Amino acid sequence: MRNRMTSGGRPSIRRFYATASAAAITLAIAGPGVAWAQTAEKPQDDTVQAIVVTGIKAGIQNSINIKKNETSIVEAVSAEDIGKLPDVSIAESIARLPGLAAQRVNGRAQVISIRGLAPDFTTTLLNGRQQASSGDNRAVEFDQYPSELLSSVVIYKTPDAQVSGMGLSGTADLRTVRPLAYGKRALALNLRGEKTSGKKLNDDSHNVGGRFSASYINQFADDTIGVAIGYAHLDSPSQVKHYKAYGYEAFPNDSTSPDSADGALMLNGQEVFATSRNNKRDAVIGIFEYQPNDRIHSTLDLYYSTFKQKETTRGAQWFSNPYADGATFTGVTTGDEGGSKFATGGVLNHGVPQLRNDYNTRMDQLFSAGLNNEFQLTEHTRLVADLSYSSNKRKEQIMETYAGYGRGVGGVTGATPDVGRTYDTIGFKVADNGFSQYDEGFNYADASKVTLGDRAPWGGWGHDGSIRFPHVKEDVKAVDIRLEHEMDGFVTQLSAGVNYTKRDKGKTVLDNDLFLKNGRQQVYVDAADLVDPTNLGFAGFGDVLSVKIGDVWRKYYNWAPILDANYYDKNWDITEEVTTFFGRANFQAGDLRGNIGVQVVKQKQESSGVVINGLASGQPIVPTKINAKDDYTDVLPSLNLIYDLGGGHRLRFAVSKTMARPRMDDMRANVTPGFNSLVCSSQPCGPGTTVNPWSASGGNPHLKPWMAKAADLAYEWYVSPATYLSVAGFYKKLDTYIYQQTGTFDFTGIPIPVGASIPAGTTINPMGQITLPANGNGGTVKGLEFSGAVDFGQFAELLKGFGVQGSLSLTKSNLNPTTNTDPKAKVRIPGLSGTVYNLTGYYERGGFQARISQRYRSAFKGEVVQLYATRGFTEILADKQVDAQIGYTFQDGPMENLGLLLQVNNLTNSPYRTRLGLDNGGTKTSSGASLPETYEKYGRQILFGVNYRF
């Protein structure tokens, strides 16, 4: 096989994929175990002894090799064999790396925080190329990339000036195999069955699925053409038991009994839902390499996937407070919660549960293509040209419908507030850490009693359901041209080039209300449109009526668009053009080596949106299109140093200036005005007076990028191929941070609302305040990272096959993204967990494999989907998750290379929990503690499968 590395310097980033991905699989070629390949020593033969390491240890060794050989400070995870990364999800795999933490979305690790910063600060690459995201912003959802089709993932913690688009917190580079570097033919097949523990929660769902993947690699035409093809299919169910508390407050004494409950904090509303999801993903990769000689090398990468998700939710929600329906509480028991009297149980009188039958769908289509051409112009000079395109489309349907016990004429409105609303008596026991328990009086699964229709108090919610259609599309086009020149002496390589990347992203959300036909007449559901009732016994509630709403909603409902300000504010388009000029020098002098580089980044940004006119009740909104542009230039220097102390010991030092582009939704040009028609009620008005009634909220198309200065220092000790120790410290000084601030806006041209009470002769100042995201005060993020791996077999024969790897990350920040100067009003940054640790123990010998892993993340501020398909933040509590697997691969005989594998993820069925209120918001106890909000359980994910390579 040809040596495809240039002499005298580190291989280019894309050439490094060849060596890294080949090593990840070549080391694993024989299945689990360790085999020795050697020839007799002969004076005339220069053959050297070779060690072939396979299985779990192969993946660990290759990850260590990547970490050791990269000039930048990196973390890596590598495949044990073709199509066998150590976890069923890419996000699960990289969440185990030092300094990284995953956020669970619907029970699955989906987005990643690096070093305590939100996913928006991270750039994701596929084979070195920026990827489009189907999310609302820049963060890539890693579950769109099958682990079976990747050979390794490398996380850059310090930048490489030669790689454009590096993230501020770090960069995740997903890598696929390089067939010519792999050097031989291989075909690998993986098949796994999958089951979610427990019974399925909804009758029309399933809790059994499966996975299948196939990978083929070969070389042709005397090893000048290489081909790799892969296909992965996922059919993965999930079940979610969900409970949420709306809030807590002390009610008037005459609404609670006995008197000992007076002044107690009472739960004022709750919901109990059972959700069943099905995730189906089909993905293919194609890699074509052509290298007719040592002067020309071309690689074409293609990736395509579709990810379809269906979600059925059924359950009940209701208010429990005296201000809704005159509710009262009897038999109330109390306890102490943070020094406050707290209602732990009792009976709610006059409760009206609103039943829910919801059906959501989502489809993501991801396509990525890249063509890399390398031309060896002279013995020491090479030209690299890379073209790439990435596209991601997301289409969703989010539908909710309402039902209740009883039937009335018409629908609930302000004029008819009690139509079909039947009062129930519901016993309750409030849990501090778990599912609260309820004992309802009615049978909410009785199809002869339950009807469709709004049952909310206070005149209802004004509709009988809603259906929304979010749609996100993003395209990323890039060209990268680089010239590299190898040298002798202190400087070993010089490289320079330019990268041009254009990103177009748009989001639309079509909002619609659902109204029952025949004047919102509450209606029974036909038997043919029902499935077996959904049981909410995990919260003690019993069965609820289950409608096949996704199939039959058009039969019962009319729909009408919601053209309110919220609708217009959720629709936007952003275009970015980023041109990066870069230069880098590799150098080496004795035991010191490294690189120094600089990037000059010219950014152009353009945002399209609307000024949302129409401010009075009943007045139609007349959106006025606006378009805003801006441009910035930033200079980003970087330095990476490695000093070899000998004996496997080394020091690393890096300093850099890094950048992250602002969030997409923050850059929207939309403006939503507000007009205080009662401004004259608080000040004199009339001839000669001036008032300032205007205000607004919106986005900011003039946002500058996040900028940070960073320093890293690390000590590493590489003891053996599978044993190392690392201690690292980092410090990031963010020059600014983007958060909500108040500025000025010119409201000239926006019509004054009809009916505004402004006396004649009063001057209305067109200048007003606008609240919008803006660059404000920065701060620091700093931390310590401890990581290592130990192969116990090197110490004693008895321990051969045993090993452990793990990491501990401790992170702090003084960032306070708020204009409030009150020290008690401190605001946390999203994504920051103070403590993150991962620990994995394994045993591998004679074809037998076993592994158990635990990862922990302390409480943090996370971004989630909230009401009306908008995104917001909540406090997600500490999470500890355990995964385990056991397997055996036949070493010889007719079943040689056939492997059996059993995996259990979320072994302890750890819950997802949030607390009410964010930062200093929400109801607090006397001690200042927050109270429980969301509690979810997902069950265990059990997989059994076979894999075969030949």
Side-chain angles (χ1 to χ4, degrees):
M1 186 171 64
R2 293 181 177 87
N3 179 7
R4 295 180 172 85
M5 293 178 60
T6 59
S7 61
R10 189 175 72 87
S12 71
I13 187 170
R14 290 191 177 85
R15 284 179 178 269
F16 190 70
Y17 299 149
T19 58
S21 59
I25 298 176
T26 302
L27 288 173
I29 200 67
V34 178
W36 292 83
Q38 61 182 19
T39 60
E41 294 185 9
K42 299 179 181 179
Q44 71 274 18
D45 191 350
D46 61 356
T47 302
V48 297
Q49 177 177 285
I51 300 175
V52 180
V53 184
T54 64
I56 295 174
K57 188 181 286 188
I60 293 173
Q61 287 192 14
N62 186 61
S63 298
I64 293 174
N65 282 336
I66 295 175
K67 180 180 179 69
K68 181 179 179 180
N69 293 329
E70 272 283 354
T71 306
S72 299
I73 297 177
V74 305
E75 308 293 346
V77 59
S78 298
E80 302 166 13
D81 204 336
I82 304 172
K84 287 179 62 180
L85 273 170
D87 294 280
V88 297
S89 158
I90 288 297
E92 303 278 356
S93 292
I94 62 180
R96 303 190 193 284
L97 295 174
L100 279 73
Q103 179 178 329
R104 284 202 284 178
V105 178
N106 301 329
R108 298 171 179 270
Q110 186 180 80
V111 293
I112 298 294
S113 294
I114 299 179
R115 290 181 159 178
L117 291 170
D120 301 303
F121 292 92
T122 302
T123 297
T124 300
L125 314 174
L126 178 61
N127 290 327
R129 305 177 180 106
Q130 293 187 49
Q131 293 297 286
S133 167
S134 63
D136 290 356
N137 287 289
R138 301 179 188 275
V140 165
E141 297 176 355
F142 286 96
D143 55 4
Q144 293 189 354
Y145 295 89
S147 58
E148 299 91 334
L149 301 184
L150 298 177
S151 64
S152 63
V153 182
V154 178
I155 306 296
Y156 284 84
K157 291 182 174 177
T158 62
D160 184 328
Q162 195 167 262
V163 182
S164 299
M166 279 276 179
L168 185 147
S169 61
T171 302
D173 188 11
L174 315 181
R175 298 178 175 180
T176 60
V177 69
R178 288 294 178 252
L180 286 181
Y182 184 68
K184 59 185 69 179
R185 186 183 68 178
L187 176 63
L189 303 174
N190 289 282
L191 177 64
R192 300 182 193 180
E194 178 179 337
K195 184 182 184 300
T196 303
S197 63
K199 298 180 180 179
K200 59 184 182 181
L201 298 181
N202 288 282
D203 183 64
D204 49 354
S205 66
H206 64 271
N207 62 348
V208 176
R211 300 163 183 251
F212 171 76
S213 69
S215 299
Y216 172 74
I217 303 172
N218 208 347
Q219 302 78 32
F220 306 93
D222 192 25
D223 287 344
T224 62
I225 295 176
V227 174
I229 301 172
Y231 167 74
H233 172 74
L234 168 76
D235 183 354
S236 179
S238 65
Q239 310 285 330
V240 181
K241 298 175 180 178
H242 167 90
Y243 166 80
K244 182 177 181 180
Y246 293 158
Y248 305 84
E249 57 185 306
F251 296 138
N253 295 342
D254 58 1
S255 64
T256 60
S257 65
D259 292 342
S260 60
D262 291 351
L265 288 174
M266 304 281 294
L267 182 62
N268 62 17
Q270 56 270 295
E271 64 188 30
V272 181
F273 295 151
T275 297
S276 301
R277 295 185 177 92
N278 185 43
N279 305 286
K280 288 187 176 181
R281 182 188 61 210
D282 290 281
V284 293
I285 62 168
I287 302 165
F288 177 84
E289 268 191 290
Y290 177 60
Q291 188 171 16
N293 51 54
D294 289 332
R295 301 181 67 85
I296 299 175
H297 185 191
S298 297
T299 306
L300 175 65
D301 293 289
L302 299 172
Y303 174 76
Y304 176 78
S305 70
T306 60
F307 198 175
K308 298 178 181 179
Q309 303 173 70
K310 294 182 179 180
E311 174 184 286
T312 299
T313 296
R314 298 185 176 106
Q317 59 186 164
W318 65 99
F319 290 98
S320 50
N321 69 64
Y323 309 113
D325 307 312
T328 60
F329 304 89
T330 55
V332 177
T333 58
T334 62
D336 181 85
E337 188 72 31
S340 296
K341 187 186 296 185
F342 185 83
T344 58
V347 176
L348 165 68
N349 305 289
H350 270 213
V352 185
Q354 177 129 279
L355 307 184
R356 291 280 291 273
N357 281 268
D358 301 352
Y359 183 70
N360 303 331
T361 63
R362 172 172 170 172
M363 185 177 76
D364 297 86
Q365 289 181 293
L366 172 59
F367 174 71
S368 181
L371 176 62
N372 183 261
N373 295 286
E374 301 178 3
F375 305 97
Q376 197 71 35
L377 303 179
T378 68
E379 181 182 358
H380 299 291
T381 304
R382 180 176 60 174
L383 176 67
V384 181
D386 190 270
L387 301 173
S388 65
Y389 172 74
S390 178
S391 174
N392 211 322
K393 302 176 184 177
R394 178 184 110 212
K395 292 184 178 180
E396 284 186 275
Q397 171 190 290
I398 301 174
M399 178 171 62
E400 61 182 50
T401 65
Y402 317 134
Y405 196 91
R407 181 177 183 269
V409 178
V412 175
T413 68
T416 56
D418 294 318
V419 171
R421 304 185 73 248
T422 307
Y423 299 115
D424 196 0
T425 300
I426 304 173
F428 64 91
K429 294 181 179 179
V430 180
D432 178 59
N433 186 24
F435 296 110
S436 293
Q437 298 296 304
Y438 299 94
D439 183 14
E440 74 281 14
F442 295 140
N443 177 8
Y444 289 95
D446 187 346
S448 67
K449 299 294 185 180
V450 174
T451 61
L452 298 178
D454 183 14
R455 297 302 200 281
W458 301 296
W461 289 341
H463 55 271
D464 301 303
S466 65
I467 185 167
R468 307 175 192 276
F469 299 98
H471 181 201
V472 174
K473 185 177 186 300
E474 181 172 354
D475 292 314
V476 179
K477 307 179 186 72
V479 57
D480 188 285
I481 299 174
R482 181 173 69 253
L483 193 66
E484 299 177 351
H485 182 69
E486 308 294 334
M487 304 174 65
D488 296 323
F490 173 70
V491 176
T492 59
Q493 185 193 66
L494 288 175
S495 63
V498 61
N499 175 281
Y500 172 80
T501 299
K502 183 179 181 183
R503 184 184 302 267
D504 294 286
K505 186 158 191 168
K507 179 182 179 182
T508 59
V509 182
L510 302 179
D511 293 340
N512 300 273
D513 277 331
L514 296 178
F515 299 100
L516 286 167
K517 296 183 177 181
N518 301 318
R520 298 187 64 193
Q521 174 57 50
Q522 295 174 5
V523 60
Y524 295 107
V525 181
D526 293 342
D529 301 329
L530 298 173
V531 296
D532 288 347
T534 296
N535 184 267
L536 304 178
F538 61 88
F541 194 85
D543 292 342
V544 294
L545 193 75
S546 298
V547 185
K548 295 186 290 187
I549 201 68
D551 298 330
V552 303
W553 67 271
R554 290 179 177 83
K555 174 179 177 180
Y556 296 95
Y557 297 95
N558 295 318
W559 57 323
I562 309 172
L563 299 179
D564 60 4
N566 183 58
Y567 159 74
Y568 287 102
D569 195 37
K570 289 188 292 189
N571 295 271
W572 44 262
D573 290 284
I574 308 288
T575 296
E576 296 177 341
E577 295 182 62
V578 180
T579 303
T580 304
F581 301 93
F582 58 87
R584 190 192 70 182
N586 291 349
F587 55 83
Q588 183 165 359
D591 294 326
L592 178 69
R593 64 183 177 93
N595 63 46
I596 186 170
V598 66
Q599 293 184 344
V600 179
V601 187
K602 299 178 68 66
Q603 305 148 80
K604 295 181 180 179
Q605 58 196 48
E606 181 175 356
S607 177
S608 300
V610 293
V611 175
I612 305 165
N613 301 331
L615 307 171
S617 176
Q619 179 180 343
I621 291 177
V622 183
T624 302
K625 290 185 178 181
I626 58 174
N627 187 276
K629 300 180 181 180
D630 221 321
D631 60 87
Y632 303 101
T633 299
D634 293 292
V635 179
L636 308 176
S638 62
L639 171 69
N640 291 283
L641 294 175
I642 301 174
Y643 186 78
D644 194 334
L645 300 171
H649 301 270
R650 61 171 57 181
L651 290 174
R652 289 181 181 266
F653 176 70
V655 290
S656 61
K657 188 174 182 180
T658 56
M659 179 186 76
R661 299 279 304 146
R663 286 171 55 104
M664 291 289 196
D665 57 356
D666 281 349
M667 294 172 63
R668 71 191 190 281
N670 296 337
V671 176
T672 304
F675 189 91
N676 181 10
S677 297
L678 302 178
V679 65
C680 289
S681 63
S682 59
Q683 69 176 84
C685 292
T689 62
T690 300
V691 294
N692 298 83
W694 287 109
S695 63
S697 62
N700 185 355
H702 303 287
L703 283 174
K704 298 178 181 179
W706 279 296
M707 304 293 298
K709 301 177 181 71
D712 290 75
L713 179 65
Y715 161 75
E716 299 169 351
W717 181 22
Y718 295 96
V719 182
S720 69
T723 300
Y724 87 99
L725 174 68
S726 174
V727 180
F730 70 90
Y731 179 89
K732 293 184 184 292
K733 172 65 172 67
L734 277 73
D735 296 333
T736 68
Y737 198 87
I738 297 172
Y739 52 93
Q740 293 291 320
Q741 299 176 59
T742 300
T744 58
F745 186 81
D746 187 351
F747 294 86
T748 301
I750 300 178
I752 297 173
V754 176
S757 302
I758 307 296
T762 303
T763 300
I764 298 176
N765 189 341
M767 302 301 296
Q769 290 187 337
I770 183 170
T771 302
L772 76 177
N775 298 90
N777 294 329
T780 62
V781 179
K782 56 187 177 181
L784 291 174
E785 298 169 348
F786 306 87
S787 63
V790 180
D791 174 13
F792 292 118
Q794 66 184 324
F795 303 114
E797 182 66 23
L798 182 66
L799 299 177
K800 189 174 182 179
F802 287 97
V804 65
Q805 59 182 153
S807 67
L808 169 65
S809 302
L810 306 173
T811 308
K812 291 184 177 181
S813 173
N814 67 0
L815 283 162
N816 187 23
T818 177
T819 56
N820 194 330
T821 57
D822 184 353
K824 296 181 180 180
K826 184 175 176 59
V827 174
R828 292 170 296 172
I829 61 173
L832 177 61
S833 290
T835 303
V836 176
Y837 74 75
N838 299 276
L839 185 64
T840 298
Y842 68 89
Y843 175 77
E844 179 179 47
R845 192 170 184 180
F848 179 79
Q849 295 180 343
R851 171 167 39 204
I852 186 165
S853 301
Q854 182 184 85
R855 70 172 188 262
Y856 169 84
R857 180 177 191 180
S858 61
F860 67 102
K861 183 177 181 177
E863 186 176 18
V864 297
V865 176
Q866 297 180 327
L867 290 174
Y868 313 123
T870 58
R871 301 189 70 85
F873 296 98
T874 189
E875 181 186 4
I876 300 175
L877 297 188
D879 183 25
K880 183 186 295 182
Q881 188 165 330
V882 178
D883 303 324
Q885 68 179 55
I886 188 171
Y888 180 77
T889 300
F890 293 91
Q891 303 293 284
D892 49 34
M895 292 191 292
E896 183 179 359
N897 290 332
L898 177 68
L900 306 177
L901 182 69
L902 173 66
Q903 289 179 284
V904 181
N905 297 325
N906 195 21
L907 185 65
T908 57
N909 194 15
S910 66
Y912 168 90
R913 302 171 301 152
T914 70
R915 288 278 172 174
L916 196 71
L918 186 62
D919 298 320
N920 294 285
T923 303
K924 297 287 192 297
T925 65
S926 296
S927 66
S930 298
L931 293 166
E933 182 189 36
T934 302
Y935 189 88
E936 293 182 349
K937 279 203 167 184
Y938 307 111
R940 300 168 182 85
Q941 183 188 36
I942 304 167
L943 300 101
F944 177 77
V946 297
N947 53 77
Y948 185 57
R949 185 200 54 77
F950 56 93

